[in-house]
């Protein structure tokens, strides 16, 4: 099954119209010696029923977090996705369309992305947002390049309490441009060591990255970090969780220069970590330095409101090697998803998602604080995620919990050895019920101490 | 004109209700900072659905008709693959789950990597890059670290003037200097110019194959020999791989690094501009440089391996756009070896057929058999005061989508046309008929073209004002 519609009869007629004797004549530019001999070793094709059976079998070998009591986070969260969002996402008018190069027949995509940009501006309290990037990690990498370009400097200060995966992507991008990344350690309270930040800031620092909340779930003194960055002549790049912005100070209020983050929690499934949604917002003054597509409202020849891609002279297809980035295809459909998620929840629903996550995570924290042997090193200054060291050995506990369809969190020992081998990052979203929190507590309690 | 979602909001309306919070907030210390409104509109479910359906009705899309954008490979996106990718066993996985809980996902990724390696004749693939340009960047990083590892200082990358803009942009992002070489009168790499640019500073020749003119580089064997002789590597931009399935395996003809676009060749949808996926394949001597983690298989168990000293690191925070992999995997298994070959043969046939139908109305830049696409030019209509943009806009009036316009840059008034294999002969006949009719209109009544489009939700838009004073955020 190749979805090809040409019949043998069609092919004959078409070859005749072309004036070619056979297919071979059309392949003439390719030296026969360079061609595949025989058939690819891929086996025969399959019917629809067979491919469904095959893929169902593969899906069946997985145990999805979405069907368990999942406390996994670290940037990707198990949130409820309203049916409206899934429905919009499944409409072929959106998912089978291309990048809106012909604006007159792409007003649906263009307006949806314009609304997405506007929503990101509101969430972050910034003046402009782009049409999306691949994911939070590459958004931060692009923000780093943008900051170095604006400041004509080549050092970036990033918190050590940053997702190790995000840090790794940042390192890959920095290497190409000769950018030096310096880590800012966290204190005993789990937040950025501001004294150390002040020491590290120099005339070469292009930007300070503030992860809010940071990877350990804690809320940073973002205003103070912004002030230090400014005093040091560096830009402030905020790496934020979008849902947290319902309840935390928006970066525009502490005068962040560039705001980026991972937009998966805005209605996108976990999808084993992809596709994700990178968002980016900045000041109006830096709009022309920003990477990626921008959609602008305008009018048509009859004066009707419409939308177009704009400031394309920043982009690779016009500017080539002088472009602000190489990005072309982005994550348009995930941005549409985020917009439809936010509008289907509305102001109060969105705030409730954030509040329920905060209340439930703090409830679990309190439950753990009453269990003997549970170590909670960093206090209650967190949004929806916290670090805990359980009384029983982590491997054994993870195993036992998995058998009971509960995913306790992300082990931190390998990436943050200072936190100890048993440290666990626990996320609680609005989707968790009190019964699941109690089940988690009881499991910890039953597993007991070191024996 | 559609009202924006912001104008439709009314405080107190809800589109979705959460379950009651069964955890009391009393007694907790909650670090709430933001108490003022965010400014998200409140809208009922029915109005939300109507809003998005109204927007949907203003979009052209593959399920509506032919989408002949050159180098974009807008082929049919099989609906069954959408259904498969939505299975909870795939969509509901968290990337930090234990390997034991994601064996099916790893097996699928392993299978896809092996299939792409077989199709492309490469030693191994990484699935991490989220798009074609991201794949180019990963490929450049691999080349950079390869030479660094060998202690060779090579800092330039040669890019033909017909290349996609992403090519030179990716080169620069990786710290290399791009050098442009010209195309010859055949529309192919000018061998003399290539020779003049090759040196011991050359790291890579970046080549789109077939090139953006829809031509296969007839001298590819010599090109490969020249670049390798100079100590450089060859990167193939595989955006046009739809022409070569089962016909040419790039690894076998000497390509060292390449990317493919799953959202082009392997039928996954474009989503109005993503998500895509741009897996990168390499030859054996470069395999150690691929990003980590790699999917490995030991005794029938699948695992993620981070063990690699030479790796370029990560280009994606997890494993890439997994949901896209599921669709591409299903597509490859559905087609099998013969189906894939059928794809390319029919893509080439359709392109040549369409070219033959319109070549009397439009100048074809480089005649002779093309591969999966060809570049026509509306330069012959200039004398009637008509330009390519006018032809494109007039096509919209006929309910058809326009080809890629003004690219590649080396063809005046370019119309880059890729009809893809899934379009039927009748559709191509209709499209060609309209193209020819528009060429006739250009002579007889050019006003029709200048004033086009008239039958679309909006007419030509004022891009100049948008660029001067961009309005990119709705203000109440």
């Amino acid at each position: 099954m190749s979805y090809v519609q040409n019949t043998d009869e069609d092919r004959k007629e078409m070859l005749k119209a072309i004036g070619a004797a056979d297919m071979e004549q059309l392949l003439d530019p390719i030296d026969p010696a360079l061609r595949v001999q025989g058939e690819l070793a891929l086996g025969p094709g399959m019917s629809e029923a067979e491919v469904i059976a095959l893929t169902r079998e593969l899906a069946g070998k997985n145990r999805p977090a979405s069907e368990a009591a999942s406390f996994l986070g670290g940037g990707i969260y198990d949130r409820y996705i309203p049916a409206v969002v899934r429905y919009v996402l499944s409409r072929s008018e959106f998912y089978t369309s291309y990048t809106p190069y012909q604006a007159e027949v792409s007003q649906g995509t263009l307006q949806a992305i314009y609304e997405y940009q506007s929503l990101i501006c509101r969430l972050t309290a910034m003046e402009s947002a782009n049409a999306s990037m691949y994911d939070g990690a590459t958004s931060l990498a692009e923000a780093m390049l943008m900051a170095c370009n604006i400041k004509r400097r080549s050092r970036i200060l990033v918190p050590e309490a940053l997702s190790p995966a995000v840090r790794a992507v940042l390192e890959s991008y920095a290497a190409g441009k000769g950018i030096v990344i310096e880590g800012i350690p966290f204190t005993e309270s789990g937040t950025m060591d501001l004294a150390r930040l002040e020491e590290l800031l120099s005339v070469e620092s292009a930007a300070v990255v503030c992860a809010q909340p940071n990877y350990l779930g804690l809320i940073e003194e973002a205003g103070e970090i912004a002030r230090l960055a400014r005093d040091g002549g560096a830009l402030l790049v905020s790496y934020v969780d979008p849902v947290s912005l319902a309840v935390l100070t928006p970066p525009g209020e502490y005068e962040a220069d560039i705001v980026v983050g991972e937009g998966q929690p805005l209605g996108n499934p976990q999808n084993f970590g992809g596709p994700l949604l990178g968002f980016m917002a900045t000041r109006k003054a830096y709009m022309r330095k920003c990477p990626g597509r921008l959609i602008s409202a305008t009018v048509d020849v009859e004066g009707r409101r419409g939308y177009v891609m704009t400031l394309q002279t920043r982009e690779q297809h016009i500017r080539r090697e002088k472009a602000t980035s190489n990005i072309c295809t982005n994550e348009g459909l995930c941005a549409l998803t985020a917009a439809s998620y936010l509008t289907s929840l509305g102001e109060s629903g969105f705030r409730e998602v954030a509040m329920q996550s905060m209340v439930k995570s703090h409830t679990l924290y309190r439950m753990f604080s009453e269990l003997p042997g549970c170590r909670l090193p960093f206090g209650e200054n967190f949004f929806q995620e916290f670090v805990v060291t359980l009384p029983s050995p982590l491997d054994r506990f993870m195993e036992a919990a998995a058998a009971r369809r509960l995913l306790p969190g992300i082990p931190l020992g390998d990436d943050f050895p200072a936190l100890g081998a048993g440290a666990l990052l626990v996320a609680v979203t609005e989707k968790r019920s009190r019964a699941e929190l109690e089940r988690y507590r009881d499991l910890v309690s039953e597993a007991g101490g070191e024996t | 004109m559609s009202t924006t979602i912001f104008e439709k909001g009314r405080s107190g309306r809800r589109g979705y209700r959460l379950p009651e919070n069964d955890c009391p907030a009393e007694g907790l210390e909650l670090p709430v900072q933001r108490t003022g409104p965010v400014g998200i509109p409140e809208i009922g479910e029915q109005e939300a659905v109507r809003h998005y359906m109204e927007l949907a009705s203003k979009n052209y899309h593959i399920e509506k008709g032919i989408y002949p954008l050159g180098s974009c490979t807008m082929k049919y996106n099989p609906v069954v693959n959408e259904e498969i990718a939505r299975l909870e066993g795939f969509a509901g996985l968290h990337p930090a789950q234990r390997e034991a809980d994601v064996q099916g996902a790893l097996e699928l990724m392993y299978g896809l990597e092996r299939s792409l390696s077989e199709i492309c004749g490469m030693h191994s693939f990484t699935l991490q890059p989220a798009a074609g340009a991201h794949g180019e960047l990963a490929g450049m990083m691999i080349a950079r670290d390869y030479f660094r590892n060998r202690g060779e200082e090579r800092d330039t990358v040669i890019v033909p003037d017909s290349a996609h803009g992403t090519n030179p942009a990716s080169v620069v992002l990786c710290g290399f200097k791009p050098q442009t070489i010209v195309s010859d009168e055949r529309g192919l790499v000018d061998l003399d110019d290539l020779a003049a640019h090759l040196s011991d500073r050359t790291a890579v020749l970046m080549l789109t194959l077939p090139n953006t003119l829809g031509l296969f580089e007839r001298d590819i064997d010599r090109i490969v020999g020249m670049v390798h002789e100079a100590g450089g590597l060859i990167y193939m931009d595989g955006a046009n791989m739809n022409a070569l399935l089962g016909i040419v395996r790039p690894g076998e003809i000497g390509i060292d690094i390449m990317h493919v676009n799953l959202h082009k060749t392997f039928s996954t949808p474009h989503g109005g501009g993503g998500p895509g996926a741009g897996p990168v394949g390499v030859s054996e001597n470069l395999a150690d440089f691929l990003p980590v983690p790699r999917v490995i298989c030991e005794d029938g168990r699948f695992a993620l391996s981070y063990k690699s000293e030479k790796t370029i690191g990560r280009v994606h925070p997890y494993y890439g756009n997994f949901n896209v992999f599921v669709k591409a995997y299903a597509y490859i298994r559905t087609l099998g070896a013969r189906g894939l070959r059928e794809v390319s043969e029919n893509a080439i046939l359709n392109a040549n057929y369409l070219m033959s139908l319109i070549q009397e109305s439009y100048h074809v830049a480089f005649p002779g058999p093309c591969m999966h696409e060809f570049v026509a030019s509306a330069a012959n209509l200039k004398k009637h005061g008509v330009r390519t943009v006018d032809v494109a806009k007039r096509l919209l009036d006929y309910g058809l989508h326009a080809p890629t316009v003004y690219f590649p840059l080396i063809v005046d008034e370019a119309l880059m046309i890729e009809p893809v294999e899934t379009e039927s002969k009748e559709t191509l006949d209709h499209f060609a008929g309209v193209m020819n009719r528009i060429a006739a209109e250009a002579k007889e009544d050019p006003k029709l073209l200048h004033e086009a489009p008239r039958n679309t939700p909006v007419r030509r838009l004022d891009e100049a004002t948008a660029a001067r004073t961009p309005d990119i955020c709705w203000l109440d």
Side-chain angles (χ1 to χ4, degrees), chain B residues 83-101:
Chain B
E83 208 177 289
I84 290 168
R86 274 196 291 267
L87 290 172
E88 205 55 34
F90 294 132
L93 296 175
H94 188 284
Q97 284 191 254
R98 304 174 325 148
E99 279 169 4
D101 290 344

Side-chain angles (χ1 to χ4, degrees), chain B residues 16 20 62 70 99 140 154 173 210 229 233 258 271 276 295-296 307 334 358 368 372 388 392 396 426 432:
Chain B
Y16 165 73
E20 283 294 314
I62 292 178
E99 279 169 4
M140 288 301 107
R154 291 176 178 265
L173 200 49
E229 179 78 11
L233 297 172
M258 70 178 291
V295 185
I296 55 170
K307 278 182 246 144
T334 299
I358 67 164
H372 67 302
T388 287
L396 306 182
E426 301 89 277

Side-chain angles (χ1 to χ4, degrees), chain A residues 3 48 92 95, chain B residues 63 76-84 86:
Chain A
Y3 304 102
E48 183 174 307
S92 64
Y95 83 77
Chain B
E63 293 188 0
Y76 173 62
N77 307 139
V79 290
V80 66
N81 297 347
E82 296 301 311
E83 208 177 289
I84 290 168
R86 274 196 291 267

Side-chain angles (χ1 to χ4, degrees), chain A residues 102-105 300-302 304, chain B residues 1 389-400 438 441 445-461:
Chain A
Q102 293 294 336
E104 296 87 347
V105 289
D300 76 356
V301 290
E302 292 178 14
R304 289 176 298 189
Chain B
M1 169 190 134
V389 62
D390 305 315
V391 174
K393 298 306 179 194
R394 187 65 182 147
L395 273 166
L396 306 182
D397 269 341
Y398 285 99
L400 298 169
I438 291 173
E441 287 174 351
D445 192 2
K447 210 167 135 223
L448 280 175
L449 279 74
H450 292 141
E451 290 180 1
R454 288 184 162 276
N455 306 332
T456 46
V458 290
R459 297 183 58 200
R460 283 194 211 191
L461 292 147

Side-chain angles (χ1 to χ4, degrees), chain A residues 64-65 67-72 364 368 390 397-409 424 426 432-433 435-444, chain B residues 97-98 101:
Chain A
E67 289 176 350
S70 173
F71 296 88
L72 296 170
L364 184 64
F368 284 166
L390 302 174
F397 180 77
M398 299 281 280
E399 196 76 35
R404 307 270 286 270
R405 312 292 297 129
L406 187 142
L407 306 173
L424 194 63
V426 180
R432 302 282 70 83
S433 64
E436 287 170 331
L437 305 187
E438 286 167 351
R439 190 144 66 87
Y440 193 170
R441 178 197 61 197
D442 295 345
L443 261 174
V444 174
Chain B
Q97 284 191 254
R98 304 174 325 148
D101 290 344

Side-chain angles (χ1 to χ4, degrees), chain A residues 2 5 11 36 39 41 61-63 66 92 97-98 102 105 109 122 172 247 271-272 298 330 347-348, chain B residues 33 38-39 42 59-60 63 88 91 93 97 101 107 118 247 270 272-273 314 338 342 346 393 422 462:
Chain A
S2 66
Q5 303 189 67
R11 273 187 278 267
V36 173
E39 233 172 58
K61 290 181 185 173
N62 301 322
R63 282 185 281 269
S66 58
S92 64
S97 65
Y98 196 70
Q102 293 294 336
V105 289
T109 294
R122 288 170 182 223
S172 303
V247 291
N271 273 328
F272 204 33
T298 186
N330 52 33
E347 178 82 28
S348 57
Chain B
Q33 299 172 337
V38 173
E42 301 203 290
N59 260 9
Y60 195 89
E63 293 188 0
E88 205 55 34
L93 296 175
Q97 284 191 254
D101 290 344
E107 184 177 342
E118 169 63 20
I247 297 174
H270 282 70
R314 279 174 180 268
R338 275 187 208 166
E342 241 174 78
N346 285 279
K393 298 306 179 194
T422 52
D462 184 353

Side-chain angles (χ1 to χ4, degrees), chain B residues 193-204:
Chain B
D193 203 30
L194 174 62
H197 282 84
L198 283 170
S199 76
D200 58 1
R201 308 296 289 187
T202 306
V204 180

